[in-house]
């Protein structure tokens, strides 16, 4: 009914606004870094930053185009276009986009091992949103001087796992499901005055669900959070072994 439709419209608007803000944050970080470095703005680092900055702007423009098209069509769901996605390559693109935000907070962003990772069945745009949301969280919730590590690997039953590890406060056991509810935030994050609306993980879980994937918080022996994303492999294990064996 109408009330239902109105609730869904508001939920959708909140979600898409969240997705627009994520690349904006990255773009702002690029601008700040470039400003600090303005004495030798033509050096290699600056050029690299400008390259990634353009990536962020491109991403933002695509999101806004999507939004306009969705407004025209009147649907409140993102269209999902599942295709063959090279996950390690997507991870590297996401890292490039977020690197300035991590530099600004004095955090290190590291690529962990990515052994023989098969391609996955996913919507490349939506999956990139998920990874960006997780990186934005690690950037915000882990302290400076720490390292955030991304790892991919094949899992059982033709699945592929992406893990994002940080060395922050972690997520207390009793909140590990609730953080995926819209607007829920761990009380410490609220009392610590960390910015955020509590939407990123709810959006991530919904997008992954639409792609036949899953997301959860795993236990880990050391301190910090470990977010796991599981996706379907498009090719069976080993089919891509030749691609990466010599890298
Ligand atoms: N890497 C992390 N370490 C510790 N706590 C986390 C981490 N990621 C998420 N959380 C907790 O989960 C809550 C929900 O995360 P979510 O991404 O949905 O919202 P947010 O980051 O607070 O705000 P938004 O994403 O809307 O800007 C966070 O407020 C925080 O309490
Ligand atoms: Mg978030």
């Amino acid at each position: 009914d109408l009330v239902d439709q109105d609730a869904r419209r508001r939920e959708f608007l909140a979600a898409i606004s969240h997705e627009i803000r994520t690349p904006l944050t990255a773009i702002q970080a690029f601008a700040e870094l470039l400003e600090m470095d303005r004495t030798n703005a033509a050096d290699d680092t600056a050029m690299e930053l400008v390259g990634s900055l353009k990536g962020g702007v491109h991403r933002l423009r695509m999101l806004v185009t999507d939004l306009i098209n969705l407004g025209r069509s009147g649907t409140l769901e993102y269209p999902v276009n599942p295709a063959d996605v090279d996950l390690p390559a997507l991870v590297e693109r996401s890292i490039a986009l977020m690197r300035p935000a991590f530099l600004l907070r004095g955090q290190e962003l590291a690529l962990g091992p990515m052994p023989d990772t098969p391609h996955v069945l996913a919507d490349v745009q939506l999956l990139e949103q998920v990874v960006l949301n997780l990186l934005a969280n690690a950037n915000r919730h882990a302290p400076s001087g720490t390292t955030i590590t991304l790892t991919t690997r094949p899992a059982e039953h033709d699945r592929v796992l992406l893990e994002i590890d940080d060395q922050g406060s972690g997520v207390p056991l009793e909140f590990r499901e609730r953080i995926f509810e819209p607007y829920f935030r761990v009380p410490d994050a609220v009392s610590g005055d960390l910015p955020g609306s509590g939407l990123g993980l709810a959006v991530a879980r919904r997008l992954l669900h639409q792609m036949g994937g899953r997301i959860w918080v795993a236990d880990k022996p050391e301190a910090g959070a470990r977010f796991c994303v599981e996706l379907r492999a498009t090719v069976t294990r080993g089919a891509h072994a030749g691609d990466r064996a010599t890298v």
Side-chain angles (χ1 to χ4, degrees):
D1 54 34
L2 272 180
V3 180
D4 237 43
Q5 210 179 14
D6 194 49
R8 266 190 299 143
R9 182 169 297 129
R10 267 182 289 144
E11 188 195 324
F12 179 76
L13 273 178
I16 195 137
S17 310
H18 183 277
E19 294 324 299
I20 287 173
R21 200 176 47 186
T22 307
L24 267 181
T25 309
I27 289 167
Q28 187 181 343
F30 281 117
E32 282 173 32
L33 274 182
L34 282 172
E35 190 177 48
M36 285 179 202
D37 200 31
R38 64 176 169 275
T39 44
N40 42 7
D43 70 11
D44 290 352
T45 328
M47 282 304 130
E48 212 181 293
L49 287 177
V50 170
S52 293
L53 179 57
K54 278 165 67 184
V57 172
H58 175 70
R59 178 152 190 80
L60 198 55
R61 211 182 50 206
M62 285 195 303
L63 274 171
V64 173
T65 306
D66 280 356
L67 189 55
I68 291 168
N69 289 338
L70 285 171
R72 278 204 194 107
S73 71
T75 50
L76 295 177
E77 287 288 323
Y78 248 118
V80 182
N81 302 309
D84 187 77
V85 175
D86 181 350
L87 184 62
L90 182 146
V91 165
E92 284 179 39
R93 278 202 304 280
S94 308
I95 286 182
L97 188 56
M98 294 301 283
R99 195 173 290 288
F102 285 80
L103 271 175
L104 281 177
R105 278 190 43 86
Q107 294 163 326
E108 198 165 326
L109 203 46
L111 262 186
M114 301 199 279
D116 243 14
T117 305
H119 285 200
V120 296
L121 182 69
D123 180 305
V124 67
Q125 292 297 323
L126 300 185
L127 184 56
E128 203 164 320
Q129 281 183 27
V130 169
V131 177
L132 291 177
N133 282 353
L134 293 173
L135 286 176
N137 278 352
N139 178 231
R140 180 183 289 163
H141 295 287
S144 58
T146 58
T147 302
I148 289 88
T149 311
L150 292 91
T151 311
T152 66
R153 61 186 153 86
E156 282 181 348
H157 308 299
D158 288 332
R159 301 269 160 169
V160 175
L161 213 58
L162 162 68
E163 291 180 344
I164 300 185
D165 257 59
D166 67 45
Q167 300 168 326
S169 55
V171 183
L173 208 53
E174 69 264 38
F175 300 127
R176 287 192 188 166
E177 265 308 304
R178 294 202 65 195
I179 55 171
F180 293 99
E181 293 170 12
Y183 303 110
F184 181 84
R185 307 179 66 211
V186 173
D188 278 355
V190 181
S191 63
D193 225 16
L194 289 176
S197 54
L199 272 177
L201 289 176
V203 171
R205 179 167 270 184
R206 195 171 51 178
L207 293 179
L208 280 167
H209 184 77
Q210 287 181 267
M211 292 182 258
R214 296 195 297 148
I215 180 170
W216 69 94
V217 182
D219 276 328
K220 107 183 215 214
E222 327 83 275
R226 172 175 295 165
F227 282 86
C228 299
V229 171
E230 192 191 66
L231 295 151
R232 288 193 197 139
T234 42
V235 287
T236 46
R237 198 171 170 171
H240 277 263
D243 292 358
R244 298 187 181 279
T246 53
V247 174

